[in-house]
Amino acid sequence: DVEEEKMDVIAEEDEENKNDRELVPDAAPLGDEAMVASATCQYVPLNCEEPVTIHKDLSVVCGDVGAGVPTDQEVMINYFRVKTAEVLKNADVLAADNALERARALLNEHLAEMEGSSLKSHERITVLITDTRSGLGRMQDRTTYSHSGKAYFKSMARNHMMQHSSVSNECYSNRIQATMVKKSKARKGGY
């Protein structure tokens, strides 16, 4: 069978290239620096006839992630933003297929991850937590999901994925938009 032969070749290549993927030895002591990759790039700039060669080495310092290694806050916030959008979308698909229990479990699992994060009190993460909790409330039963959940999940997933603000959530507004909303709310008595 041709498909089996392809799989055998892939498995053989995987075994042959196994050492290439093991970039950092498992037994590297914490704090030690390990050389991971080395690359050379050669190009000819438009305004020059001589080639330029750049050589870079990539090194990794082995360490315990929980031992005070700083995380990039913006990267983690965007990770949670995109993941929330995906979770809301997947929960909507599950609920539409009459799998409300699985949809609620997915939302609860995601809530636990965000609430366990060191960024749980960050403004944008609290919005994600609030929207996920609100989604849970819209999955109490089939009727509640049908009346308010369907539209909510589609809207919130899209808003978070595209970083669009909504009526209840201005966390993606720029400074000018936020000022306009604040002035409008002040005129309307806070609403």
Side-chain angles (χ1 to χ4, degrees), residues 98-177:
N98 290 322
L100 284 175
E101 273 306 313
R102 288 179 43 211
R104 282 193 292 265
L106 180 65
L107 292 169
N108 278 320
E109 183 181 308
H110 182 57
L111 267 174
E113 181 182 5
M114 288 190 293
E115 290 171 340
S117 165
S118 61
L119 298 172
K120 67 184 170 199
S121 59
H122 188 280
E123 175 193 8
R124 284 186 274 166
I125 301 300
T126 58
V127 167
L128 298 174
I129 290 171
T130 301
D131 287 350
T132 305
R133 279 195 185 129
S134 181
L136 266 172
R138 293 167 196 265
M139 283 202 177
Q140 294 172 5
D141 54 46
R142 188 90 200 125
T143 306
T144 306
Y145 170 74
S146 295
H147 284 97
S148 66
K150 266 187 207 180
Y152 175 83
F153 283 98
K154 285 176 183 21
S155 174
M156 284 297 111
R158 183 179 55 250
N159 287 347
H160 287 305
M161 187 60 80
M162 299 176 74
Q163 298 183 40
H164 286 179
S165 295
S166 64
V167 174
S168 63
N169 149 22
E170 298 136 18
C171 71
Y172 303 121
S173 300
N174 63 33
R175 194 170 22 105
I176 294 168
Q177 291 168 330

Side-chain angles (χ1 to χ4, degrees), residues 6-78:
K6 283 183 187 175
M7 295 305 288
D8 289 341
V9 170
I10 291 170
E12 287 172 18
E13 287 176 1
D14 264 1
E15 193 58 39
E16 289 172 15
N17 297 325
K18 182 180 174 188
N19 292 331
D20 294 342
R21 289 191 310 269
E22 294 176 3
L23 300 174
V24 181
D26 290 337
L30 294 179
D32 282 2
E33 189 170 317
M35 175 73 137
V36 175
S38 180
T40 302
C41 177
Q42 188 173 38
Y43 65 97
V44 178
L46 293 174
N47 61 351
C48 188
E49 292 182 17
E50 293 295 316
V52 174
T53 303
I54 298 173
H55 180 82
K56 292 289 178 183
D57 294 326
L58 173 64
S59 299
V60 174
V61 176
C62 299
D64 182 5
V65 174
V69 175
T71 58
D72 187 328
Q73 187 174 6
E74 280 303 309
V75 170
M76 289 306 298
I77 290 168
N78 276 317

